[in-house]
Amino acid sequence: MGEESRLAAVVALAQGMAAAHSSRESWRAAAGGACRALGGSFAALSVWERELGRLRVLVNVGELAEGEEEFPDDESYPVHQFAEITEFLHERWAGGGEPDAWVETAEGTSTGRSGCCHQRVAALRRRGRGCCVVAPIVLHGRAWGELYVARPAGVPVFGRADADFATVLAAVVAAGLAQTERLEEARRLAFTDALTGLANRRAVDARLDEAIERHRRDGVVVSLVVCDLNGLKRVNDTLGHAVGDRLLERFGTVLSLCGAMLPGALAARLGGDEFCLLAVGPSADEVVKAADEVCRRAVELGIGDGVACGVASTEDPIGPVHSARRLFRLADAAQYRAKAERAGHPVVAGRAGPEDPVVRLADEPSRAADGERRRFRGRHSP
């Protein structure tokens, strides 16, 4: 491969990783780009998990052998079997050298280092491959893992120039991984409430839109629990905002624990003293049971005055739900009703008969609904 071709391959690899929208896409782009750049038939990207002492395969691409999967659940190897991933760090790199790539063949080491890794040689033979080039990946100044590219038996083996090029590709992969980490952290912050660590309103809106689409298409049950912490203003005014923040954090923990009763449920803080649980799949009764547990545990927090919970589920008699907005209005109206009545249990939209006041409140024009909400609240306001 000429210089221009190598440069084009490097650019393609970098662009492929930059276009990735998730870690998995980034890993696939890294391994696939390196495989094409080096003329391989198979490539893998692995991470060194120091705390577990193992090299774990993140992705396999190309011609997979029996037992290999693109994204394996747990394909890992004790790091002592592939000690070179640690040796270059302590011996070569610490002495001022670079983490150079090397080549192994089914007959033993070809170029780049002395001796051979018997486990790699055995793996090449077992999987019908003739050679591989292995390039350590360094990220944030530490050995992160390795890039592995192989060719089948019967074709020319990798040479010194290929090993040098693999070293360059590993550096490009490291830069791409760093970018992916930064983007995922930015996405995490964008969809996470900073105080409680729960999801935020933006995350709920996105998940609920997807859930309602699934409900319209497949009939899946979608349920929403909206919670309003009682007495937060009093706590802030009398005990201080630090105690109020602690109340929010502790209730966030309660909501997360109760949400775990519903597989896949999303626990979120909508803002201020309002929280919610979004469940997709569990029955309405299961969701009400979890909401009841939220109410019970909120009282046991010791600060604040418990919580008002409203539930709306597509499985209950609330009429067609064609939009996320309507389900939110129903759960919100149920929560207002619970707050006005100082209910110690969840109020569930649609369960008070044909003329359910919660459903009527949610479906009235906004002005009338706002007045009704004020009447609900004013009836028992502290």
Side-chain angles (χ1 to χ4, degrees), residues 2 18 42 72 85 96 121 135 137 153 158 166 174 188 223 225 232-233 241 245 256 267 272 277 285 300 322 362 368:
F42 169 86
I85 193 66
V121 171
I137 296 172
F158 292 113
R188 187 189 67 79
S223 305
V225 182
L232 178 63
K233 184 178 185 302
H241 285 272
D245 285 351
S256 179
L277 273 177
D285 285 342
E300 296 174 353
H322 298 304

Side-chain angles (χ1 to χ4, degrees), residues 91-102:
E91 295 177 10
R92 250 197 263 175
W93 196 18
E98 293 296 323
D100 294 331
W102 67 91

Side-chain angles (χ1 to χ4, degrees), residues 35-59:
C35 190
R36 289 187 293 274
L38 286 163
S41 60
F42 169 86
L45 186 69
S46 304
V47 62
W48 175 17
E49 295 182 328
R50 285 175 169 79
E51 72 279 10
L52 299 176
R54 67 181 188 176
L55 200 62
R56 181 168 65 89
V57 178
L58 300 174
V59 64

